[in-house]
Amino acid sequence: MATSRPDGEARGRSANRVLAYVESRKNLTGSACGIVGLALTYTGLAGAYWPVVVAGLYGAGALIAPPERPPAPDFPDPSSRLDALRDDFGTLRAYLDEVELPPAAAGRLTELTELLAGLLAPGWVSQALATDPEGVHALSRAVHQDIPESVDTFVRTRWWTRIAPGTEPPERHLERQLALLYREAEALATALREAETRRQQTHTRYLEDRGHNG
């Protein structure tokens, strides 16, 4: 009884391999060439050696058939990743609206979230961002990890500071963290802008060269 399942799985795999070969290009091409051999047999051209002719043509057809090509992996489209990230960013903003922050930190957080919202807004900016995997990764890390971690750590540390004062105010760390995250997002926006600038300059040179050559 213990070997019934492995034996059944082995038979199933063997049947699948046989079925795959029956449907393969090699078998289909070889069969077509074999049919040509049978036609030669019926016309009398193959003579007494018709089995050899049919088998040889089948083998030749199987050899010349193009190899089977496994399907390429179907990865998610970059724009679909941005759609999911955009939804997660909405969830993050809803969480941030419930957190009470000092005015300075709140101002820095607003600047950061507005910049991220501009980068993720549907349109040509997000289309340009979708072609930059590193940029998408940086935004995903900011939304999923950096910002919620910074804010949540501040909330927890502030509670401890209130019952055990004397340490550095946690809002200073939060302000520095948000400033660093803003610089990262700003650098990404600058890189996207410079890429569009280079694209415009390249098109200008193309038109100039075309005009000179014409």
Side-chain angles (χ1 to χ4, degrees):
M1 296 296 292
T3 60
S4 60
R5 173 177 285 184
D7 289 345
E9 292 178 352
R11 286 194 296 271
R13 287 194 296 268
S14 298
N16 290 336
R17 285 195 293 267
V18 171
L19 181 60
Y21 181 77
V22 169
E23 297 176 347
S24 68
R25 293 190 185 97
K26 288 184 176 296
N27 182 57
L28 295 177
T29 306
S31 298
C33 292
I35 292 173
V36 173
L38 290 176
L40 294 175
T41 299
Y42 290 133
T43 58
L45 296 177
Y49 298 99
W50 68 267
V52 177
V53 173
V54 173
L57 288 175
Y58 175 88
L63 287 174
I64 65 174
E68 294 294 326
R69 181 178 62 85
D74 185 17
F75 294 116
D77 185 81
S79 60
S80 65
R81 291 182 58 192
L82 279 183
D83 291 338
L85 182 57
R86 200 174 288 120
D87 293 339
D88 293 342
F89 179 62
T91 302
L92 174 64
R93 297 191 80 167
Y95 157 73
L96 295 175
D97 289 340
E98 298 180 2
V99 179
E100 181 182 352
L101 299 177
R108 289 192 178 277
L109 181 61
T110 299
E111 292 177 351
L112 174 59
T113 54
E114 287 181 353
L115 179 54
L116 295 181
L119 289 171
L120 289 171
W124 67 267
V125 175
S126 61
Q127 291 173 0
L129 177 62
T131 63
D132 182 5
E134 292 184 2
V136 174
H137 173 71
L139 281 189
S140 177
R141 182 178 57 196
V143 171
H144 294 146
Q145 176 181 338
D146 294 335
I147 297 176
E149 176 68 16
S150 295
V151 174
D152 185 61
T153 302
F154 163 76
V155 172
R156 289 184 281 116
T157 307
R158 179 177 56 179
W159 183 85
W160 285 107
T161 303
R162 286 175 178 174
I163 65 173
T167 59
E168 184 178 7
E171 55 266 26
R172 293 182 183 174
H173 284 284
L174 178 61
E175 290 171 19
R176 294 198 323 242
Q177 292 167 6
L178 294 176
L180 291 170
L181 291 173
Y182 182 86
R183 284 180 209 156
E184 288 185 1
E186 188 178 38
L188 175 59
T190 300
L192 293 174
R193 183 195 66 206
E194 291 175 348
E196 291 299 323
T197 300
R198 289 193 298 271
R199 179 182 177 187
Q200 183 186 41
Q201 293 170 348
T202 299
H203 188 57
T204 299
R205 288 194 296 270
Y206 162 72
L207 292 177
E208 289 174 346
D209 293 342
R210 190 175 69 180
H212 294 154
N213 294 332

